[in-house]
Amino acid sequence: PFYIILSELNYFSEMSNSKIAIYIKNYIRNKVSAEFHGTWSAGVISANSQDGSGILGVAPNSKILPVRVFGLGGKIDPASLIEAIGYSNARGADIINMSLGGLIPHEGIAEQVFDVLDSNPKLVMVASAGNNNLDRVSFPAAIPGVISVGATNITGNRTVYSSYGAGLDVVAPGGEIKKFASGGILTTGGTFKPGFWQGINLPKYSWGLSLDPRGKYVQVQGTSFSAPITSGVVALMKGKDKRRKLNRKDIIQIIRSTASHENLSLTKADRNRYRLRAGKGIATRNFPRQPSSGLFQKTQPVSVEQYYFGSGLINAEAAVSKVN
């Protein structure tokens, strides 16, 4: 409701009515734009402008089977995801990209993922590691057999939001807008159709995540977009595998083996967090969480690079070249 929005503007006491109106319009536009999270993700994979004036996705010749899982406002329930996974498999999808996740495991989703993967050894599932900056990936990315993908920024650092640690397979660019003005992932928006602006004056400026007045292109961030970059690479691999010789295990092995920690860097804070966790088993978030027990001998920790980046940054050229 508008009165809630306006109540948050008390500290803008000098703001004119026209500026308040612009603020409200942009607030509403941002809420509407966010309903096209799936369009953003799909554009990362397969954007392909017919006249050559737009952007290209990672695999511009791939085909998208659009399956809406989110309700309005980003709401999602396990039943919707279970049905979407089964539907995608029944329609013959080669790759299921899941730019979503939560912290709480769900047995029904796990059962569906296992059933679908067991029934189709060539199907590849890719999921976002999560935007919680936690020492564990989100669910369903944590399910064995699903490629879990974290996010890096344009300087090769782990993004401030990307989860890491247990269950992380690889990382891919995910964007970091707050740190870098042009550091987001460029993709397709969903508000550019003329019907959305019927009876409404078209803005004369870009707003929110949009790069143009209608919102045809947006700049976004999140592991929701590092996952479809990886899905796009898998699509390129499958496109080269004309005789369909590769199964899921082959593709995952290639993705991991061609990924690299080269050109990736870690902040001092991340290195210190690793030292504390590896040395004493203590996490720095939600301290103290799961400290090591004196009853058991400590195991040898993974390297700091593997802890934050898994097998490393995906390498599309190297992965595709491995496909014979």
Side-chain angles (χ1 to χ4, degrees):
F2 288 164
Y3 71 88
I4 294 178
I5 300 171
L6 289 173
S7 69
E8 296 170 354
L9 294 176
N10 290 333
Y11 56 96
F12 289 129
S13 57
E14 301 299 321
M15 182 178 285
S16 66
N17 289 337
S18 61
K19 288 185 177 180
I20 291 175
I22 291 173
Y23 180 94
I24 294 173
K25 287 179 181 179
N26 286 342
Y27 179 90
I28 295 172
R29 288 169 184 152
N30 288 342
K31 290 294 184 182
V32 173
S33 178
E35 298 298 332
F36 294 90
H37 183 272
T39 303
W40 299 348
S41 301
V44 171
I45 299 172
S46 61
N48 193 349
S49 175
Q50 294 180 351
D51 62 7
S53 64
I55 63 174
L56 287 176
V58 177
N61 293 323
S62 59
K63 295 181 179 179
I64 296 291
L65 172 67
V67 183
R68 186 174 179 96
V69 178
F70 291 108
L72 292 177
K75 294 182 179 179
I76 184 173
D77 61 86
S80 297
L81 183 54
I82 290 171
E83 184 177 358
I85 293 170
Y87 174 80
S88 300
N89 183 51
R91 288 291 303 273
D94 294 305
I95 305 159
I96 297 179
N97 179 82
M98 294 180 284
S99 290
L100 49 84
L103 296 178
I104 302 175
H106 189 278
E107 186 174 355
I109 295 175
E111 290 290 340
Q112 177 72 310
V113 169
F114 286 140
D115 286 347
V116 168
L117 292 180
D118 290 345
S119 67
N120 190 348
K122 294 188 177 180
L123 174 67
V124 177
M125 291 189 184
V126 182
S128 303
N131 302 332
N132 305 108
N133 187 27
L134 288 177
D135 178 9
R136 63 183 185 278
V137 303
S138 295
F139 194 87
I143 299 175
V146 177
I147 302 176
S148 63
V149 189
T152 58
N153 60 29
I154 59 176
T155 62
N157 287 108
R158 180 181 69 89
T159 60
V160 294
Y161 56 79
S162 183
S163 292
Y164 52 93
L168 182 64
D169 288 311
V170 290
V171 292
E176 194 166 0
I177 300 172
K178 290 184 178 180
K179 184 176 288 187
F180 308 97
S182 299
I185 300 298
L186 182 62
T187 186
T188 49
T191 61
F192 69 97
K193 294 292 186 180
F196 281 99
W197 300 98
Q198 188 172 358
I200 305 174
N201 292 330
L202 189 68
K204 298 180 181 179
Y205 54 88
S206 59
W207 43 273
L209 300 174
S210 299
L211 300 182
D212 57 278
R214 283 189 175 178
K216 186 174 184 178
Y217 301 107
V218 294
Q219 184 179 229
V220 294
Q221 68 175 28
T223 56
S224 284
F225 311 107
S226 55
I229 285 178
T230 304
S231 292
V233 173
V234 175
L236 293 175
M237 295 170 67
K238 283 183 170 287
K240 188 177 179 182
D241 182 26
K242 301 297 184 182
R243 291 183 289 177
R244 295 294 188 266
K245 295 188 301 181
L246 296 179
N247 59 30
R248 178 173 56 258
K249 290 183 178 179
D250 295 329
I251 289 175
I252 292 176
Q253 190 277 328
I254 291 174
I255 289 287
R256 287 175 173 170
S257 65
T258 55
S260 169
H261 296 126
E262 186 179 359
N263 298 322
L264 295 176
S265 55
L266 289 163
T267 64
K268 182 178 180 181
D270 273 348
R271 290 187 178 276
N272 286 340
R273 185 181 297 115
Y274 170 85
R275 290 170 63 189
L276 184 59
R277 191 75 166 121
K280 297 295 184 182
I282 298 174
T284 54
R285 288 175 60 84
N286 302 324
F287 180 91
R289 177 169 64 86
Q290 297 177 342
S292 294
S293 170
L295 293 174
F296 304 99
Q297 183 177 359
K298 287 194 305 180
T299 58
Q300 183 67 27
V302 299
S303 70
V304 62
E305 290 81 12
Q306 187 175 349
Y307 184 57
Y308 287 112
F309 301 123
S311 295
L313 182 67
I314 61 168
N315 186 326
E317 182 179 9
V320 174
S321 68
K322 285 281 188 179
V323 180
N324 297 320

